[in-house]
Amino acid sequence: MLRSRDDILRDITELILLHQQGKLGGEKMPEDEHPPLDPSSAANYHYFTLPMALNYQRNSYALWESAHRTFNDPDTMDVFDPAAAAAMDAEELREKLLKHKVALQPNKQPAVWRTLCVTIMDQLDGDLRNLFLQNGNSVRRIKQHMMQHKKSFPYLGGDKIMNYWLYVMEQYTDADFPDRECITVAPDTHVLQSSAKLGIITEEEAAGPKARELAASRWEEMLQGSGLCPIDIHTPMWLWSRSKFAAPV
């Protein structure tokens, strides 16, 4: 059953407050597993981009732990250097990505990694930061560029992960987006479950084929004029669902 805007805004504001007070858990988020790189460096941008493209149907905490181990291993850390990774033969790249399980699929995921590295080298002069600079740090323009060149950004160019990736870049690099309200909520399974619990979509809609698009568009409409950006509600809802809705709202 769908609920009123006032009721939903009251509850989502309460969830955000609970998160800020540390009452939803999640003191450590998956992406907190990272080396102490300069937030403004190209290496940092690459670190938070390449594993993100492999973040599907797997535990996010395990993925980023594997990424960190891969980065800290002198034998494998060069996979995070787009020039080195793009130049590797397929078998070498596969072995390095599988060693610490940053890749779980031996063929598809190394191919995704290589494609992104080739994109960075050929289209962005070897530096992912140029994607942001060339598009004036505008979320809207960055998303348009990636959608227009979707094959160059495998998986990362998908609507769900692209929005969450932009949120992570905002949190863990020096990226500063003047139009951050264009980062829509990233409706993964946990966010969909929380959205249904809060009554912005029904249980039936959450199980339907258009659930992600529906949840994202309704949250975008719901939050207009509220002072909240859609992506601001992602982590509180993700943690709330992950805790099996332990905190009452």
Side-chain angles (χ1 to χ4, degrees):
M1 178 178 176
L2 300 180
R3 298 169 68 224
S4 72
R5 183 174 189 268
D6 287 346
D7 287 344
I8 293 172
L9 287 178
R10 181 195 66 228
D11 287 350
I12 196 62
T13 300
E14 177 67 15
L15 270 182
I16 291 171
L17 181 61
L18 290 171
H19 173 50
Q20 291 171 343
Q21 294 172 343
K23 294 180 180 178
L24 295 179
E27 290 81 4
K28 181 179 179 181
M29 294 299 289
E31 297 82 12
D32 287 338
E33 190 73 33
H34 62 84
L37 297 167
D38 178 349
S40 67
S41 67
N44 194 54
Y45 275 68
H46 297 153
Y47 180 85
F48 283 107
T49 297
L50 293 166
M52 188 68 74
L54 308 188
N55 191 16
Y56 49 89
Q57 297 182 341
R58 63 189 300 182
N59 183 292
S60 295
Y61 285 95
L63 167 67
W64 289 101
E65 288 166 2
S66 294
H68 199 179
R69 288 195 298 271
T70 300
F71 188 91
N72 284 337
D73 184 341
D75 292 333
T76 57
M77 68 181 301
D78 56 350
V79 298
F80 286 94
D81 177 352
M88 286 180 198
D89 64 55
E91 184 58 32
E92 181 183 7
L93 182 60
R94 178 184 300 112
E95 288 180 0
K96 291 189 176 193
L97 290 174
L98 291 173
K99 180 177 180 181
H100 298 291
K101 298 183 179 180
V102 68
L104 298 179
Q105 300 171 355
N107 297 313
K108 181 179 179 180
Q109 292 182 334
V112 166
W113 193 285
R114 176 187 296 282
T115 298
L116 278 174
C117 288
V118 170
T119 296
I120 293 169
M121 294 307 300
D122 291 353
Q123 299 180 25
L124 301 170
D125 295 326
D127 189 336
L128 186 76
R129 294 174 300 181
N130 287 327
L131 174 64
F132 295 75
L133 292 173
Q134 290 170 8
N135 290 286
N137 290 308
S138 165
V139 168
R140 189 182 304 276
R141 287 174 56 189
I142 292 166
K143 290 168 72 170
Q144 287 174 344
H145 177 95
M146 292 176 70
M147 292 298 289
Q148 290 167 0
H149 301 85
K150 204 164 184 177
K151 289 184 179 179
S152 298
F153 297 94
Y155 194 65
L156 203 63
D159 194 52
K160 181 184 76 168
I161 199 65
M162 178 165 44
N163 283 284
Y164 187 65
W165 169 68
L166 288 167
Y167 168 71
V168 166
M169 298 304 279
E170 180 188 53
Q171 298 297 311
Y172 293 92
T173 76
D174 70 339
D176 184 17
F177 304 122
D179 57 347
R180 68 184 301 273
E181 69 276 5
C182 294
I183 307 177
T184 62
V185 67
D188 64 2
T189 300
H190 285 306
V191 171
L192 286 176
Q193 290 173 349
S194 288
S195 296
K197 187 82 169 175
L198 290 167
I200 199 165
I201 58 174
T202 66
E203 295 284 353
E204 292 75 18
E205 288 171 337
K210 298 291 185 181
R212 290 188 171 93
E213 296 89 338
L214 192 59
S217 64
R218 286 196 184 159
W219 277 118
E220 189 171 4
E221 182 179 353
M222 175 71 62
L223 297 176
Q224 284 181 358
S226 71
L228 293 171
C229 292
I231 199 62
D232 292 335
I233 67 175
H234 175 91
T235 298
M237 288 203 299
W238 191 84
L239 290 169
W240 192 43
S241 171
R242 194 168 180 268
S243 71
K244 302 187 185 303
F245 309 109
V249 296

